[in-house]
Amino acid sequence: MYLGDAEVFRTSTAEPTTNGIVWTYIKEVSQYNALWKERQKLIFDLGNLISDVYTGSFNATLTAVFSQRGTTIRTADVILPISARKSASNASSALIVPSDNVEIAYRFPSNTARAIVSISACGQSTEEFWWSNVFSPDTESFVNTVGELYGYSPFREIQLYIDGLLAGVVWPFPIIFTGGVSPGFWRPIVGIDAFDLRQPEIDISPFLPILTDGREHSFEIKIVGLKIQANGTARLSDSVGSYWVVTGNIFLYLEDDAPYSTTNHSEEPTIIAPTPQFTITRLLTKDETGINDTLSYSVVAERTLSITSTQFTWHQSLKYSNSGLLN
């Protein structure tokens, strides 16, 4: 769901049954008060497949509840979308990675006191089950039996860049939609987050000294996996398979006495971003006839990232492990 060009809610559907499906979800969207206070074009895009097998159409009702009771919760004063900005054409503003260039430029108000970026991203097609993908050299291990496998490893990293500088990362949570893996698992309860996909946040406040200089600055989102090097070790890849659906929002909090309104705007933050560490295993076994029989693989990943300016520090310490077996 979009308010103008800004995505505010990403969801999915219940698993179909022969008797039809009915479901309700309640979403808290007060963090988008800056958008609700103005006239908006609301776009609700719920994809559906109609075929000889799946013949049902959706009857969707959206209800907005507004409370006039006072609250002390501070919400952003300005929200800037990182999206395809297609609301003028009555279309959703999702960007498709890796085919689209997910980069946009904005000029921040000089009195910005805090800035947060949220990212919505989920894999589809060859990337829907990215957490079970194999390393790219192994994608043809069973090409004569089950066909080509999907590659780039069972690890993904979503990266945010500001003016070409790494500003933060997201290691996505595996989402299993209701038709995934085994559809019967998701009746009547869907998988974790399937009705409300996460929007992880990155605090970009350490960049405010340069972002409030009155000039436009670029914001770019990239998604990468792992690539096996000649020596058998792994490093971050330059891309991933097709495809990811991506948007972002920049939340700006304004104050009259913002610390960077009169500061030295040439102060770049100090970025400490060691190369992430990956430990991987790959084992392909053959049967007595020499045909590939089993493939086992695993990855353990660790990364730290620290970005500091005079007033703010953003620190991340991430660990991830995953393993798979095909036989």
Side-chain angles (χ1 to χ4, degrees):
M1 186 176 83
Y2 296 81
L3 295 180
D5 295 323
E7 185 175 10
V8 300
F9 179 33
R10 185 174 297 191
T11 187
S12 62
T13 63
E15 175 62 17
T17 70
T18 55
N19 297 323
I21 49 176
V22 177
W23 76 98
T24 300
Y25 193 83
I26 299 174
K27 170 76 172 180
E28 169 63 65
V29 289
S30 296
Q31 65 268 37
Y32 301 103
N33 277 345
L35 300 178
W36 290 113
K37 290 178 180 179
E38 300 178 357
R39 184 178 179 86
Q40 297 288 342
K41 178 182 289 186
L42 190 151
I43 297 176
F44 186 69
D45 182 10
L46 188 63
N48 192 19
L49 173 65
I50 302 294
S51 67
D52 294 338
V53 177
Y54 300 104
T55 59
S57 59
F58 293 130
N59 182 4
T61 300
L62 301 180
T63 302
V65 178
F66 297 93
S67 174
Q68 294 182 335
R69 290 180 296 178
T71 177
T72 59
I73 298 176
R74 174 77 186 275
T75 58
D77 300 289
V78 177
I79 300 175
L80 306 172
I82 303 174
S83 71
R85 296 190 286 187
K86 294 182 179 179
S87 64
S89 302
N90 295 327
S92 68
S93 294
L95 291 156
I96 305 302
V97 175
S99 58
D100 289 344
N101 178 27
V102 188
E103 184 174 2
I104 197 167
Y106 283 114
R107 182 182 292 109
F108 279 20
S110 61
N111 62 332
T112 303
R114 190 184 181 201
I116 306 289
V117 172
S118 69
I119 297 176
S120 297
C122 60
Q124 296 289 297
S125 189
T126 69
E127 290 286 303
E128 179 173 354
F129 305 107
W130 59 267
W131 43 268
S132 65
N133 285 16
V134 301
F135 294 100
S136 294
D138 300 320
T139 55
E140 297 185 356
S141 297
F142 305 101
V143 69
N144 294 325
T145 52
V146 299
E148 186 175 3
L149 305 174
Y150 301 140
Y152 293 100
S153 86
F155 169 86
R156 293 294 180 271
E157 179 175 271
I158 304 168
Q159 303 170 334
L160 173 67
Y161 288 87
I162 298 177
D163 292 340
L165 300 174
L166 184 63
V169 300
V170 171
W171 287 7
F173 184 82
I175 300 297
I176 303 178
F177 296 108
T178 55
V181 183
S182 178
F185 283 173
W186 319 122
R187 300 189 185 115
I189 300 175
V190 301
I192 298 172
D193 292 347
F195 279 169
D196 190 0
L197 277 67
R198 303 183 185 193
Q199 297 170 302
E201 296 181 345
I202 296 172
D203 194 327
I204 61 169
S205 299
F207 286 84
L208 285 179
I210 58 175
L211 292 176
T212 55
D213 63 0
R215 302 174 183 175
E216 285 195 340
H217 295 272
S218 67
F219 297 82
E220 183 179 12
I221 298 173
K222 296 181 180 180
I223 301 179
V224 298
L226 293 183
K227 178 180 180 179
I228 302 299
Q229 302 183 98
N231 62 3
T233 61
R235 67 167 179 84
L236 292 175
S237 63
D238 297 323
S239 185
V240 290
S242 180
Y243 59 95
W244 283 72
V245 181
V246 178
T247 66
N249 287 313
I250 308 172
F251 297 83
L252 303 183
Y253 297 79
L254 310 181
E255 293 181 4
D256 292 337
D257 57 348
Y260 294 122
S261 58
T262 59
T263 192
N264 177 11
H265 293 295
S266 63
E267 178 197 347
E268 288 191 357
T270 299
I271 302 175
I272 302 175
T275 302
Q277 300 299 305
F278 302 104
T279 302
I280 66 168
T281 63
R282 297 165 53 217
L283 179 61
L284 179 65
T285 65
K286 301 178 182 293
D287 62 18
E288 61 275 8
T289 66
I291 302 298
N292 290 343
D293 187 35
T294 67
L295 174 65
S296 60
Y297 54 99
S298 69
V299 57
V300 177
E302 295 187 40
R303 179 196 262 281
T304 60
L305 174 66
S306 182
I307 304 175
T308 304
S309 65
T310 304
Q311 299 285 336
F312 295 98
T313 295
W314 170 250
H315 180 77
Q316 294 184 267
S317 180
L318 305 172
K319 294 184 179 181
Y320 172 89
S321 64
N322 195 355
S323 61
L325 173 64
L326 300 175
N327 56 14

